[in-house]
Structure formats: structure tokens, C-alpha cells
Amino acid sequence: MPRLLRPLLSATTYTRLLHLWVPMLVVSVWLFIDPSTPWMPALFLVPLGLVPVVRRGEGVQARLMLTPGEPDPGISEAPAASWRDRLRTVLWLEVRMALGAATVFASVWLPGTAFELARCAWDVPPGGLPLLEWLPSHRALALLTPLPLLVFYGVAVGLGELITAAARRLLGPSAAERLAALEQRTEQLLERTRIARELHDSIGHALTLAVVQAGAARAAGDPEFTERALTAIEDTGRAALEDLERVLGVLREAERPLSARPTLADAGRLLESARASGAKVDAEVTGPVEAVPGPVSREGYRILQEALTNALRHAGPVPVRVRVAVTGGTLALEVRNPLPGAIPGPGRGSGLRGIRERAALLGGSAVTGPQEGDWRVRAELPLK
């Protein structure tokens, strides 16, 4: 099909035409009331456009009829939040009224012209349509009959494109709305980055514990110890599956509360998992840990989890000292364990980078590295 004829079979062409006709219904009603003031509806649009909710109604209508099926047509559905938005709405209503008047005139006059040309081709005098009283009767006029219909087709498509462009310009998102959308998109990207880091921490911790516990059970040759190790592996695996399900739910944009994430109040389970793997964990918790703000407590839990995972992964089941202290306006976390045979270089490993990144995002700091014959991870997070 020729490209120029595609709009003829497009539903959007007809919904746009209907959108242009709608304002003229108000004008038609007014002409029954007072035909001497046809400009009155356009004057009434000025106070109407200043009502904030009118912008929402016009936006919804424009999206449905001017851009049906488009996921992001660039037309806002939010009410007017500023005087600039209200003035843009007033201008939109006036433009819509003017283009609607042009559309109705073309819808009546152009098909009527085609009809009058056909009448004159059959030697019938013009029927009194404005501007056509002078047409002579002649057979050659039959050749011109399709011309007004083609012009009407072009006018209808052109005015539809014009009203759509005007809607995007005048009903499009304001600067504040675009900034809010950008901030929301940034938040989503940051959230996905955080989820990826959290998934690494949770699943990496669970796999490390499972490997260490299985190795320790095989080496011990003690049925009782093996039973405890298998139980610990099962519990750790279940916890990892819960974390994985929650993270995947967030990725599917399911509404899950942040409170579902583990906090320092759940650190006991973390320490027991490390002990079940064979590590001798000496833990000391001071201060009101339960009063730590949610974001700090959740990130503190992940830092502690990553530090224990690194200790088990690189040093094996060794004595580990854990210190958690809430003093003043700071949460201090410290994990120390004997150095393994090969000392990892500073800054290597995604886990260590994750610890430092988590601390930095909260305005705190983290130090990782060898000290006094031990490997030390220390993080300080502000509570405010």
C-alpha cells in the first residue's frame, strides 16, 4: 500500500479527528443559547484552564485519543503544579478550540464542495453552500469531484499531527516533572545496583559456609559433627533461598517492604552459621543495636556478613573476633581473624570493595587489611 494512504486505515487518524471535533460540541450548544456571541466558549476556557485538575483530564484524553498504544507519548497526566503549567493548559485549550473549529469547517465544507461539484456536473444548480454559489453547471466538473475529498483527507491527517505536536508541547512534562522522573530513574538504577551487591553478599556467604562446612565435616570423621554441619548447611541454604526470592521479587518490581531485609538484630543467626562451619567466633555487642536506624542497620548487617564470608573463604575455620559497638552517633563494626598463608593485596576482591562502597554510601568509612598479624575489617557508620 502506498505510504500516503496508510493513515486511511489507521485507527489513530479517526481518534484524532474525533478529539478535534469534541470541543465543537460545546460551541454548538452555546450557539443554541446565544448565536450572537460564538466567541464566548473560548473566553470561558481561560478560567477553566487555571483549574489544576483540568490538565490531568486533558492529558488523559490526549493520551487515549491522540497517541493510543504509545507507552511514552510525552504527555503528562499530572495536575498543574505551577502557574506555568496552568498557563500552558489555558493555551492548550485555546489551540484545541481553534484547531477544532478548522477541522469542523473542513469536515463540512470540503465534502460539501465535492457534493456540489457532482450536482453541477449533472446540470443541477448549486445548493447554496457558502462560497460555491457561483459554480457553473458543466460535465467537466465531475473530474474535480474527488479533489475536495483528497484535500479533506490531507487536512484531517495534518491537523491530527498538528494537535498531537501541540499536546506534547503544551501538555508535556514540566521541568519539575522531568526532574522527578530522572530522579526516580536514578533511584531505580541505584536500587538495582544495591540489589546486585546484596545478592552477591547473600549467596556468596551461603555458598562459602556450605563449602567450608562440608569440607570440615568430611575431615572430622565425626557423625555428630557431620550431622551438625549438614543441619547448618540446610539452614544456610534456606536463608539464601529466602534472600534470593526476595531479591528476585524486587527485580520483578513486586512491592516488598525494606523491613524484610535482615538487620543487625538478626546478626545472631549470622554468627551461628559461622560457628557451625567450624570457626570460633568471639562476639561482643555493646550499645543499643536495636535502636540503630533501619538503613544503617541493614547495611551494617551486610558488612558484617561480607567480613565473615571473607574470613571463612580465605582463612578457613579460624578464630574470629567480632565487635559491634553503638556509641554516640556512630556504629562501629570490627572483624579480625588470623592471616591466611597468602595475604590478599589491598583493594582486591569485590567483597572488600563492596564493604567500602556500603560504608561510603552512608557517609562512613571502612578499612580493610593486615594489622598486628591479623586480617582486620573495620567500618564506622554515622547514625544520622
Side-chain angles (χ1 to χ4, degrees):
M1 176 180 295
R3 185 175 180 180
L4 292 177
L5 296 181
R6 289 178 184 173
L8 193 61
L9 299 179
S10 174
T12 302
T13 302
Y14 302 100
T15 58
R16 289 176 177 177
L17 191 60
L18 180 60
H19 183 272
L20 287 164
W21 282 340
V22 168
M24 293 300 101
L25 296 177
V26 178
V27 177
S28 300
V29 173
W30 179 257
L31 291 178
F32 279 106
I33 299 174
D34 187 2
S36 64
T37 56
W39 44 265
M40 185 61 71
L43 185 63
F44 176 71
L45 292 178
V46 175
L48 180 65
L50 297 178
V51 179
V53 74
V54 171
R55 182 171 182 258
R56 169 178 284 176
E58 290 295 318
V60 171
Q61 188 179 158
R63 288 172 70 108
L64 288 175
M65 303 183 73
L66 299 180
T67 58
E70 291 189 27
D72 186 15
I75 300 175
S76 175
E77 293 183 350
S82 64
W83 279 103
R84 179 180 175 83
D85 291 342
R86 297 179 186 181
L87 293 177
R88 290 170 68 202
T89 305
V90 171
L91 182 57
W92 156 255
L93 292 175
E94 298 293 350
V95 168
R96 185 181 178 188
M97 178 73 76
L99 293 179
T103 303
V104 169
F105 177 79
S107 301
V108 173
W109 193 77
L110 289 173
T113 299
F115 180 73
E116 292 297 332
L117 288 173
R119 282 165 56 95
C120 292
W122 288 94
D123 293 330
V124 179
L129 194 67
L131 306 180
L132 298 179
E133 298 92 342
W134 54 270
L135 280 176
S137 298
H138 198 282
R139 295 287 183 182
L141 293 178
L143 299 176
L144 299 178
T145 301
L147 184 60
L149 298 178
L150 293 176
V151 173
F152 174 63
Y153 170 65
V155 169
V157 174
L159 289 177
E161 293 290 342
L162 185 59
I163 192 66
T164 303
R168 290 192 172 105
R169 180 73 175 178
L170 299 175
L171 296 178
S174 63
E177 290 171 341
R178 288 194 297 269
L179 180 59
L182 180 61
E183 290 178 348
Q184 182 180 7
R185 176 60 178 165
T186 303
E187 288 293 329
Q188 290 176 347
L189 293 176
L190 290 174
E191 178 68 8
R192 289 180 180 272
T193 302
R194 182 194 64 75
I195 289 172
R197 185 185 298 119
E198 184 175 334
L199 189 60
H200 163 269
D201 293 346
S202 177
I203 303 303
H205 173 77
L207 291 176
T208 298
L209 286 182
V211 170
V212 172
Q213 289 163 350
R218 175 181 295 176
D222 182 358
E224 185 177 349
F225 181 83
T226 301
E227 180 67 24
R228 290 200 305 271
L230 290 175
T231 302
I233 291 174
E234 181 182 7
D235 293 340
T236 302
R238 290 183 186 278
L241 286 175
E242 291 176 2
D243 279 348
L244 180 61
E245 181 182 359
R246 178 179 55 79
V247 170
L248 292 178
V250 174
L251 287 174
R252 288 191 294 264
E253 298 182 352
E255 296 182 358
R256 297 293 185 91
L258 284 176
S259 57
R261 293 176 55 196
T263 64
L264 285 175
D266 305 308
R269 185 185 67 179
L270 196 61
L271 299 175
E272 287 303 320
S273 296
R275 291 190 180 103
S277 67
K280 301 177 178 61
V281 181
D282 176 19
E284 179 181 335
V285 180
T286 59
V289 175
E290 66 281 353
V292 174
V296 179
S297 186
R298 288 188 288 269
E299 296 304 319
Y301 177 92
R302 291 307 184 191
I303 290 174
L304 179 60
Q305 183 184 55
E306 185 60 35
L308 288 172
T309 300
N310 286 335
L312 292 169
R313 180 181 299 155
H314 298 294
V318 297
V320 181
R321 285 184 295 170
V322 177
R323 299 291 181 266
V324 180
V326 180
T327 56
T330 303
L331 168 65
L333 298 168
E334 185 179 55
V335 178
R336 299 177 69 125
N337 60 272
L339 282 171
I343 302 175
R348 284 194 234 156
S350 59
L352 300 180
R353 287 197 301 271
I355 290 175
R356 290 191 287 270
E357 289 173 1
R358 288 181 183 277
L361 285 174
L362 293 174
S365 61
V367 179
T368 61
Q371 185 182 50
E372 299 177 358
D374 289 341
W375 182 266
R376 186 184 74 150
V377 175
R378 179 173 177 81
E380 292 187 356
L381 309 177
L383 299 182
K384 295 183 181 179

